[in-house]
Amino acid sequence: MDEIKFRPFGDGAVTIDISKNNRDGRLIIEQIEKKCFKGLIEIVPGFTTITVYYDPFAIYQICNGLSPFQFVEMKLKQIINEIGEEKKYSSREIIIPVCYGGELGPDLVNVANYHHLTEEEVINLHASQEYVVHMIGFAPGFPYLSGLSKKIATPRKDTPRTFIPAGSVGIGGEQTGIYPLESPGGWNLIGRTPLTLFNPNANIPSLLQAGDTIRFQPITYKEFEVLKEAEKN
């Protein structure tokens, strides 16, 4: 694994810096969950960090003269050291069907013009890449994905939209992502998926998790309507 650093985050959390290797991050999270210790509250993955929240009062009872931060840092180092260099995170591979362009992707033509490409070339570049979910943020279930081709990296819009439909696939700078819920936003919308990315009533509300591998699959508007209807049932 790359070098890992620890730093306090307030008086009830430790932030682990994991550089840009998100799959190592998922492996660390899995290991912490398996070796859960007294006082652990929550593990929150970030783009290049993992923040481990703990109850300092519960830790104080068992920290044997160390500060709560020192004790939790020690426990986390022990847990991470047990992983071993040979172990790798086995990520889920998820296919996201997307209908590109038209009313579902109103900014596709703008992205194409910005890069002096055809719309079809933008679609091919977007759909030919393998992406990794680095974190879920901004809105419940919103995945920040790495892996976008620099050939279609496009600045965010100067004026954000006040309404973006759920399932919209966008490009913002060097990242691509999917809006799981209706919301405002400033990314360039190039298509839409019929899949439900966030269901608050499900046992696991977010379809995507940090560490997942994603591929986009172009579909027609008719296929989009059929899949969208199937999602309702």
Side-chain angles (χ1 to χ4, degrees):
M1 286 189 182
D2 295 333
E3 182 181 358
I4 296 172
K5 298 179 180 179
F6 300 81
R7 51 187 168 88
F9 186 68
D11 60 359
V14 175
T15 293
I16 307 170
D17 291 309
I18 56 171
S19 72
K20 295 184 178 180
N21 195 333
N22 192 260
R23 289 194 170 104
D24 274 358
R26 285 306 308 170
L27 196 56
I28 290 170
I29 290 171
E30 282 188 352
Q31 190 77 352
I32 296 172
E33 289 172 341
K34 290 177 183 177
K35 306 284 186 177
C36 182
F37 53 87
K38 181 181 178 181
L40 177 66
I41 296 175
E42 186 179 12
I43 307 168
V44 180
F47 203 80
T48 58
T49 62
I50 301 166
T51 300
V52 179
Y53 290 87
Y54 59 87
D55 179 349
F57 297 103
I59 297 297
Y60 184 76
Q61 298 173 19
I62 59 174
C63 62
N64 297 323
L66 299 174
S67 70
F69 168 76
Q70 290 172 327
F71 180 82
V72 173
E73 180 186 28
M74 178 187 70
K75 292 291 291 184
L76 293 175
K77 285 181 177 179
Q78 290 173 349
I79 290 170
I80 293 169
N81 287 337
E82 292 174 1
I83 293 175
E85 291 294 330
E86 74 286 348
K87 191 171 182 181
K88 301 296 180 183
Y89 175 70
S90 180
S91 66
R92 298 187 305 165
E93 296 186 355
I94 299 176
I95 303 298
I96 305 292
V98 178
C99 181
Y100 288 94
E103 64 184 67
L104 302 183
D107 296 321
L108 177 63
V109 62
N110 297 331
V111 172
N113 291 338
Y114 182 84
H115 295 285
H116 306 291
L117 299 169
T118 66
E119 293 181 38
E120 192 64 31
E121 286 173 326
V122 173
I123 293 171
N124 289 338
L125 284 166
H126 189 263
S128 64
Q129 300 295 111
E130 180 180 272
Y131 301 90
V132 175
V133 180
H134 271 262
M135 62 176 287
I136 302 295
F138 165 64
F142 186 100
Y144 285 88
L145 308 177
S146 67
L148 181 70
S149 170
K150 292 183 178 180
K151 294 179 180 179
I152 54 174
T154 309
R156 292 171 173 81
K157 299 179 73 65
D158 292 334
T159 302
R161 290 181 171 88
T162 57
F163 174 81
I164 291 178
S168 294
V169 177
I171 293 175
E174 295 185 356
Q175 291 181 304
T176 188
I178 313 167
Y179 288 84
L181 305 170
E182 295 178 356
S183 70
W187 291 30
N188 301 279
L189 307 183
I190 61 171
R192 196 181 305 169
T193 179
L195 300 185
T196 300
L197 266 70
F198 185 79
N199 179 1
N201 298 317
N203 290 331
I204 302 177
S206 178
L207 173 65
L208 304 178
Q209 304 292 328
D212 288 345
T213 298
I214 305 298
R215 284 192 175 277
F216 293 106
Q217 177 181 321
I219 58 173
T220 65
Y221 184 77
K222 183 175 181 180
E223 290 172 322
F224 174 88
E225 288 186 313
V226 171
L227 291 172
K228 187 69 175 177
E229 189 62 31
E231 284 285 295
K232 297 178 182 178
N233 301 325

